Amino acid sequence: TSNASEIFNAAADNTHLVLRPSRPDLVLHSPAALVLRNKENLVIDFNNVTIMFGEPTNERHMLRVEHSRSVTLMNAHFSFPNIPEPGFYQQHGDNKTGLLLVFDSDLVAIKANTMTNSPQASIAISHSRKAWIGDNTILNSGAGGIILHGDTKECVVEGNHVVDSIGVANWHAGIVLSYRQVDLRDGVALLLGKHLHHDSAFSLLHRKQYPSRNAIVRNYVGHSSGQGIYVDGAVGNVIMGNEIHASSKEGLCLDGGATSNVVMDNHIHECGQRTKQLPLVLQQEVPDERKGADGLTIYKLPGVSVDNGLYNILLRNNVRNNFGGGIKLVRTSFFNLVVDNSLWNNNKGGSEHLSFPAVSLMNDPSDDHGATDLDYAPSVGNMIAYNTIRGRHGVAALIAPGSECNEIFFNTVKGELYFVLESVVEQTNFIKSTAPKKNLRTPERDVPEEGWPISQIRLGS
């Protein structure tokens, strides 16, 4: 056959369908969406056949699995003919076509496929349980490589290779977990609402369903125009053993009330340079147009950001060679645990204008993007302990005004710094440190007496 829809028609009468292509480079075309609905115990092995979807199209997803159980799609090459243009897709009218949607289904496996050039998300899993998304290669997604959405639980995203995600908004990251209450059957672009950041239509006050108990493990996410992994209001997930490389924004961001997630054993490097950010994004995210030696904005981003998150655990991550700092906690980051991480040389974007810390406890009360339904509070009650800080940073730990009741102790610091600790106003934090007083930039009464072993610190002017 030359028509991919005939394969799905045949699936109605089979439980295990294996394609036998007449030649190795066979390409089947699909001008219309392919739908599996109310299927059970079905395996389709495409045997490396290419399914080419046409564009433009009025379809929101070219491949849909709905209300099904125990369905496996494997060994296919799903593709659109052209690489999507970089864009924002902000308004609902910009709702372009995505590739695969799994909706309200159980035990779906998306295995060992290649997906290229999707104008929107390549894989979206919405309100589903126990899916396995494994060993796929995903290239040039217009708006999100893999998305877990809504009441999606106990899914595993493992061993995928997600590269060159093109969209620039947070929900266009290589891997996204989002609670936002929209119907993805009407398109992935609805996640954005009408604003780049916060939209009161998706208030946390009304959050009822969220991705939970999912595992994001052993994936490679590289060269995203936005974040590598973006966690938006998800609760109780594990993100472990991933490599996140050269994301234009943060390598990993916990945002939107992300709660009780475990982030461990990840390697996050070369992120935050803002190489692919569009002017529209920068207008909303940076205060001025100053540029550094690389010709880009001087306002770089860290390897990891906890931005509106609480009770999260960041453990044993390798965060190195990022442009705007190592790990940043900001805007209502409460009671997070940052322990036993290795932070190395995360001031690559430092300049005569700005330098970036290994760890920062920040407060941006004016940076509310017009939000009226939540307050952006300082970083409170966090524990920063047993981390190893090496290489070049502006300071090892920066504490912004209002960030109190945090505990910073038994971190090992060695490298090129201006200060080990900088706290620019008098406030109450527990800091156990053996640094000499001249290396602690704090009000005199806040200078601790002992703790935090350091050596070979080169002070700046």
Side-chain angles (χ1 to χ4, degrees), residues 383-387 407-411 430-433 452:
M383 181 182 292
I384 315 297
Y386 298 101
N387 300 287
E407 299 183 47
I408 303 175
F409 60 91
F410 296 148
N411 298 280
F430 172 79
I431 302 167
K432 190 167 181 61
S433 172
W452 201 341

mmCIF file with all atom_site columns, all heavy atoms in Angstrom, residues 383-387 407-411 430-433 452:
data_model
loop_
_atom_site.group_PDB
_atom_site.id
_atom_site.type_symbol
_atom_site.label_atom_id
_atom_site.label_alt_id
_atom_site.label_comp_id
_atom_site.label_asym_id
_atom_site.label_entity_id
_atom_site.label_seq_id
_atom_site.pdbx_PDB_ins_code
_atom_site.Cartn_x
_atom_site.Cartn_y
_atom_site.Cartn_z
_atom_site.occupancy
_atom_site.B_iso_or_equiv
_atom_site.pdbx_formal_charge
_atom_site.auth_seq_id
_atom_site.auth_comp_id
_atom_site.auth_asym_id
_atom_site.auth_atom_id
_atom_site.pdbx_PDB_model_num
ATOM 1   N N   . MET A 1 383 ? 17.295 24.262 52.109 1.00 0.00 ? 383 MET A N   1
ATOM 2   C CA  . MET A 1 383 ? 18.537 23.718 52.663 1.00 0.00 ? 383 MET A CA  1
ATOM 3   C C   . MET A 1 383 ? 19.531 23.497 51.526 1.00 0.00 ? 383 MET A C   1
ATOM 4   O O   . MET A 1 383 ? 19.238 22.787 50.557 1.00 0.00 ? 383 MET A O   1
ATOM 5   C CB  . MET A 1 383 ? 18.280 22.399 53.391 1.00 0.00 ? 383 MET A CB  1
ATOM 6   C CG  . MET A 1 383 ? 19.543 21.797 54.005 1.00 0.00 ? 383 MET A CG  1
ATOM 7   S SD  . MET A 1 383 ? 19.214 20.203 54.810 1.00 0.00 ? 383 MET A SD  1
ATOM 8   C CE  . MET A 1 383 ? 18.194 20.743 56.191 1.00 0.00 ? 383 MET A CE  1
ATOM 9   N N   . ILE A 1 384 ? 20.719 24.115 51.655 1.00 0.00 ? 384 ILE A N   1
ATOM 10  C CA  . ILE A 1 384 ? 21.799 23.998 50.678 1.00 0.00 ? 384 ILE A CA  1
ATOM 11  C C   . ILE A 1 384 ? 22.966 23.341 51.409 1.00 0.00 ? 384 ILE A C   1
ATOM 12  O O   . ILE A 1 384 ? 23.648 23.992 52.215 1.00 0.00 ? 384 ILE A O   1
ATOM 13  C CB  . ILE A 1 384 ? 22.219 25.377 50.128 1.00 0.00 ? 384 ILE A CB  1
ATOM 14  C CG1 . ILE A 1 384 ? 20.995 26.238 49.778 1.00 0.00 ? 384 ILE A CG1 1
ATOM 15  C CG2 . ILE A 1 384 ? 23.159 25.216 48.951 1.00 0.00 ? 384 ILE A CG2 1
ATOM 16  C CD1 . ILE A 1 384 ? 20.117 25.687 48.704 1.00 0.00 ? 384 ILE A CD1 1
ATOM 17  N N   . ALA A 1 385 ? 23.227 22.055 51.152 1.00 0.00 ? 385 ALA A N   1
ATOM 18  C CA  . ALA A 1 385 ? 24.177 21.344 52.003 1.00 0.00 ? 385 ALA A CA  1
ATOM 19  C C   . ALA A 1 385 ? 24.971 20.305 51.214 1.00 0.00 ? 385 ALA A C   1
ATOM 20  O O   . ALA A 1 385 ? 24.463 19.701 50.264 1.00 0.00 ? 385 ALA A O   1
ATOM 21  C CB  . ALA A 1 385 ? 23.436 20.653 53.148 1.00 0.00 ? 385 ALA A CB  1
ATOM 22  N N   . TYR A 1 386 ? 26.221 20.126 51.622 1.00 0.00 ? 386 TYR A N   1
ATOM 23  C CA  . TYR A 1 386 ? 27.107 19.077 51.127 1.00 0.00 ? 386 TYR A CA  1
ATOM 24  C C   . TYR A 1 386 ? 27.323 19.149 49.619 1.00 0.00 ? 386 TYR A C   1
ATOM 25  O O   . TYR A 1 386 ? 27.600 18.139 48.970 1.00 0.00 ? 386 TYR A O   1
ATOM 26  C CB  . TYR A 1 386 ? 26.569 17.694 51.521 1.00 0.00 ? 386 TYR A CB  1
ATOM 27  C CG  . TYR A 1 386 ? 26.498 17.477 53.008 1.00 0.00 ? 386 TYR A CG  1
ATOM 28  C CD1 . TYR A 1 386 ? 25.292 17.588 53.674 1.00 0.00 ? 386 TYR A CD1 1
ATOM 29  C CD2 . TYR A 1 386 ? 27.643 17.183 53.736 1.00 0.00 ? 386 TYR A CD2 1
ATOM 30  C CE1 . TYR A 1 386 ? 25.213 17.412 55.042 1.00 0.00 ? 386 TYR A CE1 1
ATOM 31  C CE2 . TYR A 1 386 ? 27.583 17.005 55.114 1.00 0.00 ? 386 TYR A CE2 1
ATOM 32  C CZ  . TYR A 1 386 ? 26.364 17.121 55.770 1.00 0.00 ? 386 TYR A CZ  1
ATOM 33  O OH  . TYR A 1 386 ? 26.303 16.948 57.128 1.00 0.00 ? 386 TYR A OH  1
ATOM 34  N N   . ASN A 1 387 ? 27.200 20.336 49.054 1.00 0.00 ? 387 ASN A N   1
ATOM 35  C CA  . ASN A 1 387 ? 27.478 20.500 47.635 1.00 0.00 ? 387 ASN A CA  1
ATOM 36  C C   . ASN A 1 387 ? 28.958 20.778 47.417 1.00 0.00 ? 387 ASN A C   1
ATOM 37  O O   . ASN A 1 387 ? 29.638 21.360 48.273 1.00 0.00 ? 387 ASN A O   1
ATOM 38  C CB  . ASN A 1 387 ? 26.640 21.644 47.061 1.00 0.00 ? 387 ASN A CB  1
ATOM 39  C CG  . ASN A 1 387 ? 25.157 21.380 47.209 1.00 0.00 ? 387 ASN A CG  1
ATOM 40  O OD1 . ASN A 1 387 ? 24.592 20.554 46.510 1.00 0.00 ? 387 ASN A OD1 1
ATOM 41  N ND2 . ASN A 1 387 ? 24.518 22.087 48.151 1.00 0.00 ? 387 ASN A ND2 1
ATOM 42  N N   . GLU A 1 407 ? 19.057 27.294 55.298 1.00 0.00 ? 407 GLU A N   1
ATOM 43  C CA  . GLU A 1 407 ? 20.204 26.673 55.932 1.00 0.00 ? 407 GLU A CA  1
ATOM 44  C C   . GLU A 1 407 ? 21.256 26.357 54.870 1.00 0.00 ? 407 GLU A C   1
ATOM 45  O O   . GLU A 1 407 ? 20.963 25.673 53.889 1.00 0.00 ? 407 GLU A O   1
ATOM 46  C CB  . GLU A 1 407 ? 19.797 25.386 56.652 1.00 0.00 ? 407 GLU A CB  1
ATOM 47  C CG  . GLU A 1 407 ? 18.783 25.610 57.757 1.00 0.00 ? 407 GLU A CG  1
ATOM 48  C CD  . GLU A 1 407 ? 18.457 24.329 58.486 1.00 0.00 ? 407 GLU A CD  1
ATOM 49  O OE1 . GLU A 1 407 ? 19.397 23.590 58.852 1.00 0.00 ? 407 GLU A OE1 1
ATOM 50  O OE2 . GLU A 1 407 ? 17.263 24.049 58.686 1.00 0.00 ? 407 GLU A OE2 1
ATOM 51  N N   . ILE A 1 408 ? 22.474 26.864 55.066 1.00 0.00 ? 408 ILE A N   1
ATOM 52  C CA  . ILE A 1 408 ? 23.590 26.639 54.144 1.00 0.00 ? 408 ILE A CA  1
ATOM 53  C C   . ILE A 1 408 ? 24.744 26.090 54.967 1.00 0.00 ? 408 ILE A C   1
ATOM 54  O O   . ILE A 1 408 ? 25.318 26.796 55.792 1.00 0.00 ? 408 ILE A O   1
ATOM 55  C CB  . ILE A 1 408 ? 23.982 27.960 53.447 1.00 0.00 ? 408 ILE A CB  1
ATOM 56  C CG1 . ILE A 1 408 ? 22.780 28.567 52.719 1.00 0.00 ? 408 ILE A CG1 1
ATOM 57  C CG2 . ILE A 1 408 ? 25.124 27.734 52.462 1.00 0.00 ? 408 ILE A CG2 1
ATOM 58  C CD1 . ILE A 1 408 ? 23.044 29.932 52.111 1.00 0.00 ? 408 ILE A CD1 1
ATOM 59  N N   . PHE A 1 409 ? 25.092 24.829 54.752 1.00 0.00 ? 409 PHE A N   1
ATOM 60  C CA  . PHE A 1 409 ? 26.133 24.268 55.611 1.00 0.00 ? 409 PHE A CA  1
ATOM 61  C C   . PHE A 1 409 ? 26.869 23.122 54.911 1.00 0.00 ? 409 PHE A C   1
ATOM 62  O O   . PHE A 1 409 ? 26.337 22.427 54.056 1.00 0.00 ? 409 PHE A O   1
ATOM 63  C CB  . PHE A 1 409 ? 25.540 23.783 56.938 1.00 0.00 ? 409 PHE A CB  1
ATOM 64  C CG  . PHE A 1 409 ? 24.487 22.722 56.825 1.00 0.00 ? 409 PHE A CG  1
ATOM 65  C CD1 . PHE A 1 409 ? 24.825 21.372 56.858 1.00 0.00 ? 409 PHE A CD1 1
ATOM 66  C CD2 . PHE A 1 409 ? 23.148 23.070 56.703 1.00 0.00 ? 409 PHE A CD2 1
ATOM 67  C CE1 . PHE A 1 409 ? 23.855 20.399 56.781 1.00 0.00 ? 409 PHE A CE1 1
ATOM 68  C CE2 . PHE A 1 409 ? 22.168 22.094 56.618 1.00 0.00 ? 409 PHE A CE2 1
ATOM 69  C CZ  . PHE A 1 409 ? 22.526 20.757 56.652 1.00 0.00 ? 409 PHE A CZ  1
ATOM 70  N N   . PHE A 1 410 ? 28.139 22.976 55.313 1.00 0.00 ? 410 PHE A N   1
ATOM 71  C CA  . PHE A 1 410 ? 29.008 21.873 54.901 1.00 0.00 ? 410 PHE A CA  1
ATOM 72  C C   . PHE A 1 410 ? 29.117 21.735 53.389 1.00 0.00 ? 410 PHE A C   1
ATOM 73  O O   . PHE A 1 410 ? 29.128 20.633 52.840 1.00 0.00 ? 410 PHE A O   1
ATOM 74  C CB  . PHE A 1 410 ? 28.556 20.555 55.528 1.00 0.00 ? 410 PHE A CB  1
ATOM 75  C CG  . PHE A 1 410 ? 28.661 20.526 57.024 1.00 0.00 ? 410 PHE A CG  1
ATOM 76  C CD1 . PHE A 1 410 ? 27.769 19.787 57.773 1.00 0.00 ? 410 PHE A CD1 1
ATOM 77  C CD2 . PHE A 1 410 ? 29.642 21.256 57.684 1.00 0.00 ? 410 PHE A CD2 1
ATOM 78  C CE1 . PHE A 1 410 ? 27.852 19.759 59.159 1.00 0.00 ? 410 PHE A CE1 1
ATOM 79  C CE2 . PHE A 1 410 ? 29.741 21.246 59.067 1.00 0.00 ? 410 PHE A CE2 1
ATOM 80  C CZ  . PHE A 1 410 ? 28.849 20.493 59.805 1.00 0.00 ? 410 PHE A CZ  1
ATOM 81  N N   . ASN A 1 411 ? 29.179 22.867 52.703 1.00 0.00 ? 411 ASN A N   1
ATOM 82  C CA  . ASN A 1 411 ? 29.482 22.872 51.282 1.00 0.00 ? 411 ASN A CA  1
ATOM 83  C C   . ASN A 1 411 ? 30.985 23.043 51.094 1.00 0.00 ? 411 ASN A C   1
ATOM 84  O O   . ASN A 1 411 ? 31.631 23.786 51.836 1.00 0.00 ? 411 ASN A O   1
ATOM 85  C CB  . ASN A 1 411 ? 28.734 24.004 50.580 1.00 0.00 ? 411 ASN A CB  1
ATOM 86  C CG  . ASN A 1 411 ? 27.233 23.843 50.694 1.00 0.00 ? 411 ASN A CG  1
ATOM 87  O OD1 . ASN A 1 411 ? 26.623 23.080 49.963 1.00 0.00 ? 411 ASN A OD1 1
ATOM 88  N ND2 . ASN A 1 411 ? 26.626 24.560 51.650 1.00 0.00 ? 411 ASN A ND2 1
ATOM 89  N N   . PHE A 1 430 ? 20.710 30.369 58.616 1.00 0.00 ? 430 PHE A N   1
ATOM 90  C CA  . PHE A 1 430 ? 21.694 29.553 59.311 1.00 0.00 ? 430 PHE A CA  1
ATOM 91  C C   . PHE A 1 430 ? 22.800 29.205 58.333 1.00 0.00 ? 430 PHE A C   1
ATOM 92  O O   . PHE A 1 430 ? 22.569 28.549 57.320 1.00 0.00 ? 430 PHE A O   1
ATOM 93  C CB  . PHE A 1 430 ? 21.038 28.279 59.850 1.00 0.00 ? 430 PHE A CB  1
ATOM 94  C CG  . PHE A 1 430 ? 22.039 27.308 60.416 1.00 0.00 ? 430 PHE A CG  1
ATOM 95  C CD1 . PHE A 1 430 ? 22.563 27.499 61.690 1.00 0.00 ? 430 PHE A CD1 1
ATOM 96  C CD2 . PHE A 1 430 ? 22.482 26.228 59.677 1.00 0.00 ? 430 PHE A CD2 1
ATOM 97  C CE1 . PHE A 1 430 ? 23.502 26.620 62.213 1.00 0.00 ? 430 PHE A CE1 1
ATOM 98  C CE2 . PHE A 1 430 ? 23.411 25.336 60.193 1.00 0.00 ? 430 PHE A CE2 1
ATOM 99  C CZ  . PHE A 1 430 ? 23.929 25.534 61.466 1.00 0.00 ? 430 PHE A CZ  1
ATOM 100 N N   . ILE A 1 431 ? 24.017 29.670 58.629 1.00 0.00 ? 431 ILE A N   1
ATOM 101 C CA  . ILE A 1 431 ? 25.158 29.433 57.750 1.00 0.00 ? 431 ILE A CA  1
ATOM 102 C C   . ILE A 1 431 ? 26.293 28.903 58.606 1.00 0.00 ? 431 ILE A C   1
ATOM 103 O O   . ILE A 1 431 ? 26.779 29.590 59.515 1.00 0.00 ? 431 ILE A O   1
ATOM 104 C CB  . ILE A 1 431 ? 25.594 30.732 57.041 1.00 0.00 ? 431 ILE A CB  1
ATOM 105 C CG1 . ILE A 1 431 ? 24.414 31.306 56.241 1.00 0.00 ? 431 ILE A CG1 1
ATOM 106 C CG2 . ILE A 1 431 ? 26.777 30.466 56.119 1.00 0.00 ? 431 ILE A CG2 1
ATOM 107 C CD1 . ILE A 1 431 ? 24.630 32.716 55.759 1.00 0.00 ? 431 ILE A CD1 1
ATOM 108 N N   . LYS A 1 432 ? 26.722 27.700 58.354 1.00 0.00 ? 432 LYS A N   1
ATOM 109 C CA  . LYS A 1 432 ? 27.829 27.124 59.091 1.00 0.00 ? 432 LYS A CA  1
ATOM 110 C C   . LYS A 1 432 ? 29.028 27.120 58.152 1.00 0.00 ? 432 LYS A C   1
ATOM 111 O O   . LYS A 1 432 ? 29.058 26.423 57.148 1.00 0.00 ? 432 LYS A O   1
ATOM 112 C CB  . LYS A 1 432 ? 27.502 25.709 59.562 1.00 0.00 ? 432 LYS A CB  1
ATOM 113 C CG  . LYS A 1 432 ? 28.521 25.138 60.536 1.00 0.00 ? 432 LYS A CG  1
ATOM 114 C CD  . LYS A 1 432 ? 27.988 23.892 61.213 1.00 0.00 ? 432 LYS A CD  1
ATOM 115 C CE  . LYS A 1 432 ? 29.015 23.334 62.207 1.00 0.00 ? 432 LYS A CE  1
ATOM 116 N NZ  . LYS A 1 432 ? 29.340 24.283 63.275 1.00 0.00 ? 432 LYS A NZ  1
ATOM 117 N N   . SER A 1 433 ? 30.072 27.918 58.498 1.00 0.00 ? 433 SER A N   1
ATOM 118 C CA  . SER A 1 433 ? 31.141 28.177 57.546 1.00 0.00 ? 433 SER A CA  1
ATOM 119 C C   . SER A 1 433 ? 32.461 28.399 58.256 1.00 0.00 ? 433 SER A C   1
ATOM 120 O O   . SER A 1 433 ? 32.516 28.974 59.337 1.00 0.00 ? 433 SER A O   1
ATOM 121 C CB  . SER A 1 433 ? 30.784 29.422 56.730 1.00 0.00 ? 433 SER A CB  1
ATOM 122 O OG  . SER A 1 433 ? 31.867 29.813 55.938 1.00 0.00 ? 433 SER A OG  1
ATOM 123 N N   . TRP A 1 452 ? 31.518 25.451 56.744 1.00 0.00 ? 452 TRP A N   1
ATOM 124 C CA  . TRP A 1 452 ? 31.825 25.588 55.328 1.00 0.00 ? 452 TRP A CA  1
ATOM 125 C C   . TRP A 1 452 ? 33.313 25.618 54.990 1.00 0.00 ? 452 TRP A C   1
ATOM 126 O O   . TRP A 1 452 ? 33.900 26.668 54.794 1.00 0.00 ? 452 TRP A O   1
ATOM 127 C CB  . TRP A 1 452 ? 31.162 26.832 54.773 1.00 0.00 ? 452 TRP A CB  1
ATOM 128 C CG  . TRP A 1 452 ? 30.995 26.815 53.283 1.00 0.00 ? 452 TRP A CG  1
ATOM 129 C CD1 . TRP A 1 452 ? 31.646 26.040 52.380 1.00 0.00 ? 452 TRP A CD1 1
ATOM 130 C CD2 . TRP A 1 452 ? 30.115 27.643 52.527 1.00 0.00 ? 452 TRP A CD2 1
ATOM 131 N NE1 . TRP A 1 452 ? 31.214 26.294 51.115 1.00 0.00 ? 452 TRP A NE1 1
ATOM 132 C CE2 . TRP A 1 452 ? 30.272 27.290 51.173 1.00 0.00 ? 452 TRP A CE2 1
ATOM 133 C CE3 . TRP A 1 452 ? 29.206 28.639 52.847 1.00 0.00 ? 452 TRP A CE3 1
ATOM 134 C CZ2 . TRP A 1 452 ? 29.557 27.907 50.162 1.00 0.00 ? 452 TRP A CZ2 1
ATOM 135 C CZ3 . TRP A 1 452 ? 28.510 29.244 51.833 1.00 0.00 ? 452 TRP A CZ3 1
ATOM 136 C CH2 . TRP A 1 452 ? 28.677 28.891 50.505 1.00 0.00 ? 452 TRP A CH2 1
#
